[in-house]
Amino acid sequence: MAGLRPAVAPLVAALADRHGLEAEDLEQSVWLRACERAAAGPLPADARSWLRSLALRECLRLTRTADRERLAAERATRPSPVPSAEAQVLAERGRHALWASVAALPGRCPVLLAALADAPGLTYGDLAGLLGMPRGSIGPTRSRCLSCLRTLLHGLRT
């Protein structure tokens, strides 16, 4: 296999240059795949053509990976859009309507939902101790409270 490197190295260098890849990385990837294939069984009869097609496939694979990484980096560095003043006012009105509806809920619902919103990491055991409720009633009470809140908020929309 070592004798095939001179036949494949120029193609690998050209592919890397054309696609903005590191030639050494592409070549290493090609030879890694070739060695994996050689370990699995004999190489195809026309090893040069096979290595060239392997180089093309590896170039495409590395290009796709590089594109995904580049897009992810661009998204991470892109500043989040600043909401308009109108959007900020509407969001604040929405928050106010939500918490006014939570306050209008019956029983322990306002306290339970406020505790869940303030500290989302609390376990049901923590909530039970904090609110003086049995641990087993936290989930059903939460479900009923959210159902009541949904009904109240739906009434505000229509």
Side-chain angles (χ1 to χ4, degrees):
M1 227 179 3
L4 296 173
R5 185 178 187 276
V8 177
L11 173 65
V12 168
L15 287 170
D17 185 52
R18 178 177 174 107
H19 293 281
L21 299 171
E22 293 292 327
E24 295 83 15
D25 291 344
L26 178 57
E27 186 171 355
Q28 182 179 10
S29 183
V30 168
W31 289 111
L32 174 66
R33 299 285 181 247
C35 289
E36 289 172 347
R37 174 65 169 78
L43 293 178
D46 188 2
R48 284 179 190 232
S49 295
W50 174 76
L51 270 175
R52 287 184 175 150
S53 66
L54 178 63
L56 288 169
R57 286 192 311 271
E58 280 303 299
C59 179
L60 290 173
R61 186 183 69 77
L62 290 176
T63 301
R64 284 191 304 265
T65 301
D67 287 345
R68 281 193 301 268
E69 290 172 356
R70 183 182 44 77
L71 288 173
E74 286 175 6
R75 278 190 216 111
T77 59
R78 188 179 311 147
S80 52
V82 178
S84 67
E86 180 183 13
Q88 290 176 350
V89 168
L90 290 174
E92 182 58 34
R93 282 186 186 169
R95 282 190 294 276
H96 179 72
L98 171 67
W99 286 108
S101 296
V102 167
L105 292 173
R108 296 180 173 174
C109 288
V111 176
L112 175 61
L113 293 181
L116 286 167
D118 289 341
L122 290 177
T123 65
Y124 279 6
D126 297 336
L127 285 168
L130 182 69
L131 302 175
M133 294 173 64
R135 184 185 178 286
S137 69
I138 298 287
T141 303
R142 175 186 160 273
S143 180
R144 283 191 301 276
C145 292
L146 290 174
S147 178
C148 289
L149 180 61
R150 208 172 290 115
T151 302
L152 280 175
L153 292 174
H154 183 70
L156 289 177
R157 285 190 353 208
T158 56

